[in-house]
Amino acid sequence: MTPTFGWTLHGDGRHIQPGEVVAPDERLSWPRTAAIGAQHVVAMFGATLLVPTLTGFPVNTTLLFSGLGTIIFLLITRNKLPSYLGSSFAFIAPLAASQQYGVGAQLGGVVVTGLALIAVGALVQAAGTRLIDAVMPPVVTGAIVALIGFNLAPVAVGNFQEQPLIGAVTLATILVVAVATRGMASRLSILIGVIVGWLTAWVSKGVSPEALGAVAAADWVGVPRFHAPEFHLSAVLVTLPVLVVLIAENVGHVKAVGEMTGRDLDAYQGRALIGDGLSTTLAGGFGGSGTTTYAENIGVMAATRVYSTAAYWVAAVVAIALAFIPKFGAIVGTLPVGVLGGATLVLYGLIGMLGVRIWQDNRVDFNNPVNLMTAAVALIVGIGDLSLTLGPVELKGIALGSVGIIVAYPILRKAFATLGEGTHNP
């Protein structure tokens, strides 16, 4: 019998026959497990570091809590659900939108979102995933995810236009690598594009001398910078819609891993949400960005057919170790705005298109006027960043669009059904 928090050795631990799968509760020899873990670090690296770079959060602090969050997730899911918890792109837009309230208020929004995810996870664990399907059907979920991505389009364009040549090189590299390559290179297209963009900026004197000086002055060993959260209602309301994305990503991750391993992991969906909620709450409580399960690491598992959670423990420990190297964080801080502009043109668009994919995968019927009208209005509210002030509370594009469709959709659906019955039964 396999211990809850242990692994059985797969075969002799050194060889895998063609077509064989290393299950989550198995492991290879520790040197080979460490090698797989290193691949997971590479896979999560670009995205996890890009989020704090874009939001202004400390890179080393975010890296620390991504490692700690991964360990928490593995413990909560009883070592049965392989996953790395990296920085969630979904937080980028709300954190940028709430920047006016200060870092403390931004962190407060992350903390509240994490606590809400814990609560949802507890409900799902008790009632099953039917609860999520009832409150947030695909038409609502897709609209919220899409408007979160598209809301920051002006910011990406603004950064791009400040250094158009560097932005164009970064964007072109990402597109070519993502489309023309296969395997790991394709999955690292963002990171490769950022590196090429940085080198272009360095050659063309586009890297700030002050940033390079900060790298030289940074210590090799040090403690990450921590920051306490503050709670501002407007900032919380802007950030809270990210909850929808985190739910969708976690549930999707459980389904994907279950399909790859041939195991029914639905019983762990509630635990996955709780684990990510705890990780996000902890990160927000000390100055890190919110976390989510990473699709990038699913790619590593698909390529290697090694689903051992032991490899994720290795990746988490490596991330924690890197967090205590300040010079590393300073190097990341040298990225010019043109590089960020080129990368975010892709990233924000991908988040938006993820919402469209939710509609497509669930075959949402836009011939239905309720689906069409509610989604259309929510998207324009989010993209146009429409704001509404109610006393001391300001609802901006993301929050207003999300709250609007969550409230309006069930009301209009019920009204439309009633009208339909009336026309058929005069």
Side-chain angles (χ1 to χ4, degrees):
M1 182 176 179
T2 305
T4 300
F5 293 105
W7 303 273
T8 56
L9 194 64
H10 180 86
D12 63 2
R14 292 177 295 175
H15 303 93
I16 306 176
Q17 298 300 320
E20 274 191 329
V21 168
V22 179
D25 52 6
E26 297 179 322
R27 68 168 177 84
L28 300 172
S29 66
W30 281 114
R32 286 165 176 75
T33 296
I36 297 294
Q39 290 188 78
H40 283 299
V41 172
V42 172
M44 69 83 181
F45 217 60
T48 293
L49 298 185
L50 196 59
V51 173
T53 300
L54 296 175
T55 58
F57 280 23
V59 170
N60 292 61
T61 307
T62 295
L63 193 58
L64 170 64
F65 287 106
S66 76
L68 292 174
T70 298
I71 291 175
I72 290 172
F73 184 90
L74 293 171
L75 291 173
I76 294 295
T77 57
R78 297 180 174 179
N79 242 8
K80 304 299 183 186
L81 192 59
S83 178
Y84 189 88
L85 263 62
S87 304
S88 171
F89 287 166
F91 279 99
I92 296 175
L95 290 177
S98 60
Q99 195 170 19
Q100 58 184 307
Y101 305 115
V103 175
Q106 290 175 303
L107 292 173
V110 174
V111 169
V112 172
T113 303
L115 292 173
L117 189 59
I118 294 172
V120 172
L123 289 173
V124 171
Q125 191 66 22
T129 57
R130 292 187 304 274
L131 178 64
I132 296 175
D133 296 335
V135 176
M136 291 183 294
V139 62
V140 173
T141 304
I144 293 175
V145 173
L147 68 86
I148 286 175
F150 294 145
N151 176 264
L152 265 191
V155 176
V157 171
N159 286 336
F160 187 97
Q161 289 179 331
E162 280 197 38
Q163 295 177 314
L165 174 62
I166 296 170
V169 170
T170 303
L171 176 61
T173 302
I174 293 171
L175 294 179
V176 170
V177 173
V179 174
T181 65
R182 296 292 181 268
M184 189 60 66
S186 177
R187 294 185 178 277
L188 294 177
S189 60
I190 300 292
L191 179 59
I192 294 171
V194 167
I195 292 173
V196 172
W198 187 93
L199 291 173
T200 302
W202 181 68
V203 170
S204 61
K205 310 295 185 183
V207 179
S208 165
E210 292 79 9
L212 293 174
V215 173
D219 295 328
W220 280 102
V221 178
V223 178
R225 291 188 290 118
F226 299 127
H227 200 295
E230 301 169 5
F231 299 95
H232 190 295
L233 186 56
S234 295
V236 168
L237 291 176
V238 167
T239 311
L240 200 53
V242 173
L243 178 67
V244 177
V245 184
L246 299 182
I247 292 171
E249 288 177 337
N250 276 274
V251 172
H253 183 87
V254 174
K255 293 288 187 183
V257 174
E259 184 175 339
M260 287 192 299
T261 59
R263 297 184 174 189
D264 184 1
L265 298 174
D266 284 354
Y268 291 93
Q269 287 190 357
R271 287 181 173 272
L273 294 169
I274 293 171
D276 190 14
L278 286 170
S279 173
T280 295
T281 302
L282 179 65
F286 291 92
S289 181
T291 61
T292 189
T293 50
Y294 256 27
E296 288 87 342
N297 297 91
I298 287 182
V300 174
M301 291 192 289
T304 62
R305 299 178 69 82
V306 176
Y307 307 110
S308 173
T309 54
Y312 284 98
W313 281 88
V314 172
V317 170
V318 172
I320 292 171
L322 287 173
F324 290 89
I325 304 177
K327 192 174 288 289
F328 173 76
I331 291 172
V332 176
T334 63
L335 285 176
V337 292
V339 173
L340 299 181
T344 52
L345 279 179
V346 178
L347 290 175
Y348 297 159
L350 288 176
I351 297 171
M353 292 307 295
L354 176 59
V356 176
R357 181 177 175 181
I358 290 173
W359 288 333
Q360 184 179 36
D361 290 347
N362 290 276
R363 299 181 180 180
V364 174
D365 180 14
F366 283 110
N367 288 318
N368 183 322
V370 176
N371 293 343
L372 180 63
M373 293 298 181
T374 52
V377 173
L379 282 179
I380 294 303
V381 168
I383 295 171
D385 203 25
L386 180 66
S387 63
L388 176 65
T389 302
L390 300 173
V393 179
E394 183 182 19
L395 291 173
K396 301 196 75 174
I398 295 173
L400 188 58
S402 300
V403 171
I405 192 169
I406 289 174
V407 173
Y409 179 76
I411 294 174
L412 289 177
R413 185 180 62 177
K414 185 173 182 180
F416 181 74
T418 302
L419 289 172
E421 291 173 2
T423 58
H424 287 92
N425 299 287

